[in-house]
Amino acid sequence: MDVMDAIYGRRSIRKYTNQEISQADLEAILEAGTMAPSAMNLQQWHFVMVRDKALIEESREIMSKVFDTFKPVLTERFSKHPHIVHETGDFMKTLGGAPAFLLAFISRPDYNNSLPALSGVCAGIENMLLAAYEKGIGSCWLTAPITAHMESEFERRFAPGKGRFVAFVTFGYPDEDPPVPPRRSGKYEIL
Ligand SMILES: Cc1cc2nc3c(=O)[nH]c(=O)nc-3n(C[C@H](O)[C@H](O)[C@H](O)COP(=O)(O)O)c2cc1C
């Protein structure tokens, strides 16, 4: 697949079929994450892919609580589009039926300037979204647990002592084909 096709074709998917993702595909997605650039080549990420049903259920319960806390922020941001609040609630309470999800952590929170460290982790996440898309696998990147100040629940459960929570990313075969959310103009310039 052409890289530009992947960049323009990828969408956040919030509804998945129940088809499992193969171990080989999950490993290939994780490997793509580790091929991202990182500041001083520190590779300061720790990625945890979860496919175990009991762990998915446990996370779904945490994410339901996250939504209850996050809802006022979302309601304010989308005051003119209440259906988005409703749909996001459905997604977070069910994880869209995703058969797998990824937890991304910064493994070097002590690094004296953590913005470069965070940038590397995010580059890895984007690589994984695009690698998944190339395989027909959809994804959605979530940071709502941070907005709800509940990220420590994931740190304690999935990576104790290994890092700081950066993102939760669902993966699965899409059961929806959402339109492109409009992009704002005037967001770049060439000098
Ligand atoms: C850092 C980050 C955090 C996000 N957090 C959430 C989230 O908590 N819940 C959610 O449903 N979508 C979340 N998204 C997905 C965005 O809503 C989505 O990327 C945006 O609406 C543009 O849509 P697109 O990904 O289909 O281009 C997040 C995306 C990013 C990059």
Side-chain angles (χ1 to χ4, degrees):
M1 177 181 281
D2 187 78
V3 176
M4 289 303 246
D5 288 343
I7 289 171
Y8 280 83
R10 179 210 59 79
R11 294 273 68 74
S12 292
I13 299 298
R14 297 181 177 88
K15 200 164 172 230
Y16 302 93
T17 70
N18 57 12
Q19 186 182 342
E20 293 293 334
I21 303 173
S22 71
Q23 181 79 14
D25 280 347
L26 290 176
E27 282 172 13
I29 291 168
L30 287 161
E31 283 291 331
T34 68
M35 289 308 293
S38 62
M40 297 192 291
N41 197 24
L42 278 174
Q43 303 173 39
Q44 62 285 33
W45 40 65
H46 182 67
F47 298 130
V48 179
M49 188 69 85
V50 179
R51 63 189 314 198
D52 178 90
K53 294 272 175 271
L55 293 178
I56 290 177
E57 176 55 22
E58 204 180 306
S59 300
R60 195 196 57 69
E61 284 171 16
I62 297 173
M63 207 55 100
S64 279
K65 285 191 274 166
V66 167
F67 177 71
D68 292 338
T69 311
F70 176 55
K71 194 175 175 186
V73 177
L74 211 58
T75 305
E76 191 184 336
R77 164 72 180 89
F78 294 107
S79 58
K80 293 187 187 135
H81 307 281
H83 69 280
I84 293 182
V85 181
H86 189 72
E87 284 163 18
T88 304
D90 280 353
F91 170 52
M92 290 176 62
K93 288 177 177 180
T94 62
L95 297 180
F101 69 81
L102 174 96
L103 290 160
F105 300 92
I106 296 188
S107 57
R108 296 280 303 269
D110 57 324
Y111 181 46
N112 63 1
N113 182 354
S114 70
L115 252 190
L118 176 64
S119 304
V121 181
C122 293
I125 295 170
E126 180 68 7
N127 266 15
M128 288 189 266
L129 304 192
L130 296 176
Y133 180 76
E134 198 253 337
K135 293 176 177 299
I137 296 166
S139 60
C140 188
W141 181 337
L142 291 103
T143 51
I146 299 174
T147 313
H149 305 291
M150 290 176 68
E151 64 271 37
S152 60
E153 299 224 16
F154 290 107
E155 290 163 2
R156 270 200 302 269
R157 183 66 185 88
F158 293 95
K162 288 208 175 124
R164 193 171 139 203
F165 175 95
V166 173
F168 185 105
V169 186
T170 49
F171 286 104
Y173 290 91
D175 196 21
E176 64 170 1
D177 184 13
V180 185
R183 264 40 182 184
R184 296 185 181 136
S185 59
K187 287 288 187 179
Y188 62 78
E189 56 187 308
I190 299 174
L191 299 178

